[in-house]
């Protein structure tokens, strides 16, 4: 049997990619060396553009979001443990959603299985070899060693990716050896928590807000409470050797006392799932030299790791999956235009470089030392400026990434994710996010007489055409790729010949040429 796609890794990125492929009719095989889903708490939630992207796949509420569209954080956030006042902005781009990674894995696993993916647990990839026709994948499982064949292989197998190594793809970057990070679930006495704000009250230190790390001259501390279980605590120490042996709650309590200069009582954790209890020495910031090598692709941590990975790395990886899924499915279906698969590498490596930039900048501002403290004072003054807050909010959220759609003078909306609009269509009023959940290309026609739609009847099997109304539409026509990025837009009330030709060119660029029989 030859599979269309094999995905290495059943973490959030691999499962998200399996779901994206499933929406396009491709049934991938997911191989995971673990014998069951991981319960490790590597990230505390989702931040930035990935939150509305989850909404556009119908996953926002399944992950625990309240009914309706996601609302941006317009109050308080942070950059390198410095306050970022989002209330200064006309509209904040920062969305945040507290959801532990094991729950993300659970929801995405259920979704992938619903859409026809096959997941093999306890199947470890030993070696790979590719040629012009596909990739041979040697695996080891409970029944022995097997050789599988696939048209395409995607490595979503983490920072130590065997797929990346066997493909011979370089992983340049920087390693850090000055830090010791500790992460645990631990119970804290109820009287230490402010019932109104959820803040941790530490005598001599003050209130520590949930999910908002703080920096001291000796390191960093973060407190992340979740309903139904003990909070997740994290410390980072600089230039201080870690003891030998496994991490204990006593060691964690001593680390908190060292970093904060105050004792915080800890007790064994309660609640469902395996509690976190891990120590990490140093870290890495690396981006693969290429995200594609012929029939092999990299996504998530296999393609990029950040010095403070966790949530930012997860957010980046999930969007890798949404970018790659529809493109790979189009290639398998035989409809992909030339260069479509290469655009995955171009677009997502650009996003990875921006994520690396903000990660390294934050790491620098979190380091100990009087010189860093002075730099933080200056930076704090800059953060009272609205334009600085906007720039950093865009950087953190990933909303400063504009894809090149191949137009020399594009409409202002082109290259960005489409805004979530309230549309009046034949079946009633719908949010745009509700119309994107099938992951199909979408043409929105707001023109007076539906003339954009009328000129594209031959594209009916390639793109969903929706004639819609709004009181103040952002354009008279919008072409959305399956990942909700705007590929083309126009402001003319009625299209002229040149504008229709531009639209057809955009359709051909992203969806492939229309069949001759349909012209």
């Amino acid at each position: 049997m030859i599979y269309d796609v094999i995905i290495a890794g059943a973490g959030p990125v691999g499962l998200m990619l399996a779901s994206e492929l499933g929406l396009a009719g491709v049934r991938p095989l997911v191989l995971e060396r673990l014998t069951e889903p991981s319960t490790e708490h590597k990230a505390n939630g989702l931040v930035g553009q990935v939150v509305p992207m989850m909404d556009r796949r119908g996953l926002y509420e399944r992950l625990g979001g309240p009914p309706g569209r996601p609302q941006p954080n317009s109050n308080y956030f942070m950059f390198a443990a410095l306050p970022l006042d989002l209330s200064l902005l006309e509209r904040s781009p920062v969305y945040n959603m507290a959801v532990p990674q094991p729950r993300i894995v659970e929801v995405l696993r259920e979704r992938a299985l619903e859409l026809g993916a096959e997941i093999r647990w306890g199947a470890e990839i030993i070696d790979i070899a590719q040629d012009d026709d596909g990739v041979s994948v040697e695996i080891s499982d409970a029944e022995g060693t097997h050789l599988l064949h696939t048209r395409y292989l995607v490595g979503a197998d983490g920072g130590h990716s065997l797929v990346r190594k066997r493909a011979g793809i370089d992983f340049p970057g920087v390693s850090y050896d000055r830090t010791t990070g500790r992460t645990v679930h631990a119970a804290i006495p109820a009287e230490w928590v402010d019932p109104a704000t959820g803040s941790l009250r530490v005598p001599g230190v003050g209130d520590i807000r949930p999910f908002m790390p703080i920096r001291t001259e000796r390191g960093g501390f973060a407190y992340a409470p979740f309903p139904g279980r003990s909070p997740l605590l994290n410390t980072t120490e600089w230039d201080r050797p870690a003891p030998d042996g496994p991490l204990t709650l006593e060691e964690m309590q001593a680390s908190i006392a060292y970093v904060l200069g105050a004792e915080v009582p800890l007790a064994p954790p309660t609640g469902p799932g395996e509690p976190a209890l891990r120590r990490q020495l140093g870290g890495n910031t690396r981006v693969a030299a290429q995200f594609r090598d012929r029939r092999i692709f990299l996504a998530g941590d296999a393609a990029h790791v950040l010095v403070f990975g966790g949530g930012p790395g997860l957010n980046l990886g999930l969007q890798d999956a949404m970018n790659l899924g529809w493109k790979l499915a189009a290639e398998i279906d035989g409809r992909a235009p030339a260069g479509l698969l290469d655009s995955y590498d171009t677009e997502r490596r650009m996003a990875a470089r921006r994520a690396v930039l903000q990660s390294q900048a934050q790491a620098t501002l979190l380091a100990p030392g009087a010189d860093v403290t002075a730099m933080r004072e200056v930076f704090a003054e800059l953060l009272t400026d609205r334009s600085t807050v906007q720039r950093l909010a865009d950087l953190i959220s990933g909303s400063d990434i504009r894809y090149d759609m191949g137009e020399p003078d594009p409409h202002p909306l082109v290259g960005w994710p489409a805004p979530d609009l309230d549309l009046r269509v034949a079946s009633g009023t719908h949010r745009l996010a509700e119309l994107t959940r099938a992951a199909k290309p979408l043409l929105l026609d707001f023109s007076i007489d539906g003339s954009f739609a009328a000129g594209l009847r031959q594209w009916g099997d390639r793109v969903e055409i929706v004639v819609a109304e709004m009181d103040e539409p952002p354009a008279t026509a919008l072409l959305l790729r399956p990942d909700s990025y705007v590929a083309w837009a126009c402001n003319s009330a009625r299209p002229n010949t040149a504008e229709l030709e531009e639209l057809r060119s955009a359709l051909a660029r992203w969806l492939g040429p229309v069949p001759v029989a349909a012209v």
Side-chain angles (χ1 to χ4, degrees):
M1 177 179 180
I2 299 178
Y3 293 91
D4 284 326
V5 181
I6 290 180
I7 300 170
V13 175
L15 294 171
M16 186 70 192
L17 177 59
S19 299
E20 290 293 292
L21 289 167
L23 285 169
V26 176
R27 306 291 182 257
L29 170 64
V30 183
L31 301 175
E32 173 55 58
R33 63 178 182 81
L34 298 178
T35 56
E36 59 185 15
S38 173
T39 58
E40 187 175 2
H41 286 250
K42 294 182 179 179
N44 299 327
L46 304 177
V47 175
Q49 289 302 302
V50 72
V51 176
M53 288 298 187
M54 292 296 102
D55 181 40
R56 296 191 177 195
R57 292 298 185 260
L59 294 168
Y60 174 66
E61 291 185 20
R62 290 180 66 165
L63 287 167
R69 59 165 47 92
Q71 296 299 318
N73 178 352
S74 298
N75 298 305
Y76 176 90
F77 204 65
M78 49 78 195
F79 184 86
L82 291 166
L84 200 63
D85 186 0
L86 300 176
S87 68
L88 295 174
L89 307 182
E90 184 175 338
R91 180 169 176 79
S92 168
V94 179
Y95 295 80
N96 47 280
M97 183 180 187
V99 52
Q101 184 157 324
R103 177 58 181 163
I104 297 173
V105 169
E106 180 183 10
V107 169
L108 294 181
R109 177 178 58 85
E110 292 172 353
R111 178 65 165 164
L113 291 173
E114 290 169 3
L115 292 169
E118 178 187 352
I119 305 174
R120 293 191 193 177
W121 303 98
E124 183 173 6
I125 295 179
I126 300 173
D127 204 358
I128 61 173
Q130 71 168 317
D131 55 31
D132 292 340
D133 298 319
V135 185
S136 298
V137 182
E138 185 179 2
I139 70 167
S140 174
D141 59 20
E143 298 179 358
T145 302
H146 312 275
L147 193 63
L148 305 176
H149 301 278
T150 181
R151 295 174 64 185
Y152 296 95
L153 173 66
V154 181
D157 50 342
H160 299 288
S161 170
L162 184 138
V163 171
R164 185 189 65 242
K165 294 174 182 176
R166 290 290 189 269
I169 297 175
D170 290 338
F171 204 35
V174 179
S175 294
Y176 306 85
D177 59 4
R178 294 183 59 193
T179 62
T180 299
R182 296 173 175 87
T183 303
V184 306
H185 280 105
I188 297 175
E191 61 269 21
W192 283 64
V193 178
D194 186 330
T197 65
S199 296
L200 180 65
R201 292 176 164 175
V202 181
V205 177
D207 288 1
I208 299 176
R209 301 181 67 166
F211 305 100
M212 298 296 172
I214 66 170
R215 178 256 190 193
T216 74
E217 288 294 344
R218 294 172 298 280
F221 174 78
Y223 157 74
F226 292 97
R229 70 174 309 158
S230 297
L232 192 67
L233 308 173
N234 173 267
T235 62
T236 302
E237 296 181 15
W238 294 79
D239 303 320
R240 192 166 183 248
D244 295 328
L247 176 62
T248 63
L249 280 185
E250 290 74 20
E251 179 187 331
M252 184 63 174
Q253 190 162 334
S255 178
I256 293 173
Y258 173 77
V259 169
L260 295 182
E263 297 279 349
V264 175
L266 304 182
T270 60
E274 180 182 353
L277 188 68
R278 65 177 181 271
R279 184 197 301 124
Q280 180 176 341
L281 305 180
N284 291 278
T285 293
R286 299 182 179 275
V287 178
Q290 57 199 75
F291 287 11
R292 179 193 183 190
D293 177 26
R294 293 175 291 167
R295 291 179 174 269
I296 295 174
F297 296 83
L298 304 177
D301 287 354
H304 40 69
V305 293
L306 309 177
V307 61
F308 294 115
L314 174 60
N315 297 326
L316 190 63
L318 290 173
Q319 292 179 84
D320 290 346
M322 293 187 72
N323 187 287
L324 178 59
W326 68 275
K327 296 175 180 178
L328 197 51
E331 184 70 25
I332 290 167
D333 193 42
R335 292 186 172 186
L340 182 65
L341 285 181
D342 288 334
S343 72
Y344 168 70
D345 177 271
T346 302
E347 293 176 352
R348 294 314 297 164
R349 273 203 298 132
M350 174 178 63
R353 286 194 296 269
R354 295 297 291 175
V356 164
L357 178 68
Q358 63 106 345
S359 178
Q360 290 181 315
Q362 293 197 63
T364 300
L365 286 166
L366 288 167
D371 52 346
V372 175
T373 300
M375 183 165 60
R376 289 175 62 86
E377 282 192 40
V378 173
F379 213 82
E381 293 177 7
L382 295 174
L383 291 182
T384 62
D385 181 76
R386 176 178 173 179
S387 63
T388 303
V389 173
Q390 183 71 66
R391 185 174 290 267
L392 289 178
D394 289 341
L395 181 63
I396 289 169
S397 65
S399 59
D400 61 344
I401 304 298
R402 187 182 191 183
Y403 294 154
D404 181 0
M405 295 296 176
E407 296 184 33
D409 184 23
H411 185 281
L413 291 174
V414 168
W416 304 102
D420 189 18
L421 309 171
D422 291 309
L423 311 174
R424 295 190 296 273
V425 298
S427 59
T429 300
H430 299 275
R431 290 195 296 124
L432 176 58
E434 297 169 1
L435 304 180
T436 63
R437 291 175 180 172
K440 294 181 178 179
L442 183 64
L443 175 70
L444 297 177
D445 186 350
F446 297 104
S447 62
I448 296 173
D449 52 4
S451 47
F452 286 96
L456 298 175
R457 297 303 182 194
Q458 70 272 33
W459 290 88
D461 67 332
R462 298 285 183 92
V463 60
E464 185 174 350
I465 300 174
V466 177
V467 177
E469 294 181 356
M470 282 185 65
D471 292 336
E472 296 182 10
T476 50
L478 292 169
L479 174 63
L480 275 58
R481 305 190 318 188
D483 57 2
S484 289
Y485 276 77
V486 179
W488 175 89
C490 179
N491 284 337
S492 298
R494 288 186 177 87
N496 57 39
T497 302
E499 288 164 340
L500 279 176
E501 185 56 37
E502 289 174 1
L503 174 54
R504 293 189 184 105
S505 295
L507 287 161
R509 182 181 302 118
W510 296 107
L511 308 182
V514 69
V516 174
V519 176

